[in-house]
Each structure stands twice: as structure tokens, then as C-alpha cells.
Amino acid sequence: EVQLVESGGGLVQPGGSLRLSCAASGFMFSSFSMNWVRQAPGRGLEWVSYISIGSSTIYYADSVKGRFTISRDSAKNSVSLQLNSLRAEDTALYYCAREGYSGTQQDYWGQGTLVTVSS
Amino acid sequence: SYVLTQPPSVSAAPGQTARTTCGGDNIGGKAVHWYQQKPGQAPVLVIYDDSDRPSGIPERFSGSNSGNTATLTISRVEAGDEADYYCQVWDSFSAHYVFGTGTKVTVL
């Protein structure tokens, strides 16, 4: 069974940092690209970042570029998102999602980890 | 940047058909995916590549895509289909994934 479990969320002050992690199991992690998607309270889904197989290709949404860094560790079957220079508008539930084997769909999602940026 | 527009809400009576749309410039040239999100839950993929269903998704869910509009159709609507539905594409020009604004489907 495919499982994605996010962790690392919490309350942080504006300008602060957090590191989110997503532990993957139940599939060959090294063969799939991964994404982070966030959802602000009461709002829609917003794509945040993408990392390809082998980390050769990385993309970021304009809203987080230069502040967030995605990475993956195939030895630990995990993908991480380093969040720096956090702003109030970064407050959201952050989901880790697996990209489909042959497309751009997100076929499995974790349950999310909540990041709250507030003083 | 590429924008996907969805109606805020759609409603249908049980047993009837609910349709929701996803508008975007020449979206017919892109692969469209649809997600269902129930309150307090993570999104679930219900349609990928315009019209394919993942295993476990009922045949009542179908999709189409042409021109500037993609459509998600839920036939024989059930109370359990009540949820928010989001479309999504990959925009190769900007190298961004894009989600639609979301539609709340209400079963009357």
C-alpha cells in the first residue's frame, strides 16, 4: 500500500524557517517524481514545488522561489521541503504528492502537515 | 501565467448528472486531471489524462477535454460525491503545475 506521511509542520514567526519531510513507503520511491502542494485555510490547492527522479529537475512556484528548497533522499525514501523567510501567506496545510508513473497527475497524497506563520 | 477557471458551485439531485467545467486557453492541448477533496481529507485523483479513471474510481466519473474547456461529469450522483473538485494541468511554457479554482459539488 502506497503511503506518504508528512511531518515537520508547526508554528513559526514571520521570517523564520521550517523543514518539512515526507516519508514514502509501499512503492519504489526512486522511480517516481514528487511534488509539494499546499492549501491555505479555506482556500484552494496551490502547487509549490516539483522534484524529478534523481533530482535532475526541480521547479518552484513563483510565490516560493528563492525561499523554499526541495530535495529527496532515495536511501531514506523521503522528500523534504526547506521553508525559509516565511511569511503569513505561507500559512497552509502542506501536502506531499506522488506523480503518476507516466504523466503529470498526482496519484497519491499524504494527509498533510500544517504550517502556521504568525507572531 | 496559465489560469484555470472553475465555477464556484454546482448542484444536482441524487441520481441525476452533475457537470463541472475547467476553462483555460487551449486547454484541449493539455492533459487535464481532476481531484476530489472531501472536508478534512486529502485530495483524491478521480480522472487523469482528460478521461482515464484510476483503479477504484467508479465508472460514474468521466471526463472530456476540447478547445478551451475540460469537463468532469458525475453520473447518477450520490450523497457521497459531495465534495470540492479541482482540475489541474502541467503548463510547459512556465514549467508550473496549475490547479483550478475549485468547484463545490452539492448533492441536493
Side-chain angles (χ1 to χ4, degrees):
Chain A
E1 179 193 5
V2 172
Q3 285 198 322
L4 299 169
V5 180
E6 302 93 337
S7 61
L11 174 63
V12 62
Q13 292 187 340
S17 299
L18 276 178
R19 186 174 182 84
L20 309 183
S21 294
C22 171
S25 60
F27 66 100
M28 190 171 293
F29 178 75
S30 59
S31 297
F32 290 84
S33 299
M34 301 294 293
N35 282 273
W36 285 94
V37 177
R38 69 184 181 183
Q39 187 170 35
R43 305 294 295 274
L45 301 173
E46 179 189 14
W47 169 74
V48 174
S49 184
Y50 161 91
I51 187 165
S52 67
I53 297 167
S55 306
S56 56
T57 301
I58 287 174
Y59 300 123
Y60 297 100
D62 294 345
S63 57
V64 307
K65 195 169 186 179
R67 300 187 299 122
F68 292 7
T69 303
I70 193 171
S71 60
R72 64 188 294 161
D73 185 337
S74 290
K76 295 182 178 179
N77 286 354
S78 67
V79 57
S80 297
L81 189 68
Q82 177 69 38
L83 287 60
N84 295 332
S85 304
L86 283 162
R87 307 165 180 167
E89 54 264 36
D90 295 319
T91 294
L93 187 61
Y94 284 73
Y95 292 103
C96 164
R98 189 186 85 167
E99 185 146 302
Y101 188 74
S102 59
T104 56
Q105 71 274 19
Q106 312 307 307
D107 61 358
Y108 286 93
W109 297 64
Q111 288 302 307
T113 186
L114 181 62
V115 172
T116 303
V117 184
S118 175
S119 55
Chain B
S1 60
Y2 194 78
V3 176
L4 295 175
T5 302
Q6 298 182 245
S9 62
V10 163
S11 61
Q16 299 304 303
T17 298
R19 289 186 182 87
T20 187
T21 58
C22 176
D25 184 33
N26 193 28
I27 195 174
K30 300 179 183 300
V32 179
H33 318 303
W34 291 91
Y35 303 88
Q36 175 194 70
Q37 187 180 33
K38 297 181 180 179
Q41 298 185 19
V44 172
L45 180 69
V46 294
I47 292 289
Y48 68 98
D49 291 349
D50 298 341
S51 59
D52 290 335
R53 275 187 318 277
S55 61
I57 300 301
E59 291 184 6
R60 301 184 297 102
F61 288 83
S62 62
S64 63
N65 184 20
S66 179
N68 293 318
T69 304
T71 302
L72 173 70
T73 300
I74 311 172
S75 303
R76 302 181 299 284
V77 165
E78 301 175 358
D81 299 332
E82 193 162 279
D84 293 325
Y85 290 82
Y86 296 90
C87 56
Q88 179 240 313
V89 301
W90 161 250
D91 178 36
S92 57
F93 180 77
S94 63
H96 282 28
Y97 292 77
V98 181
F99 284 95
T101 49
T103 295
K104 182 174 182 60
V105 171
T106 300
V107 180
L108 301 172

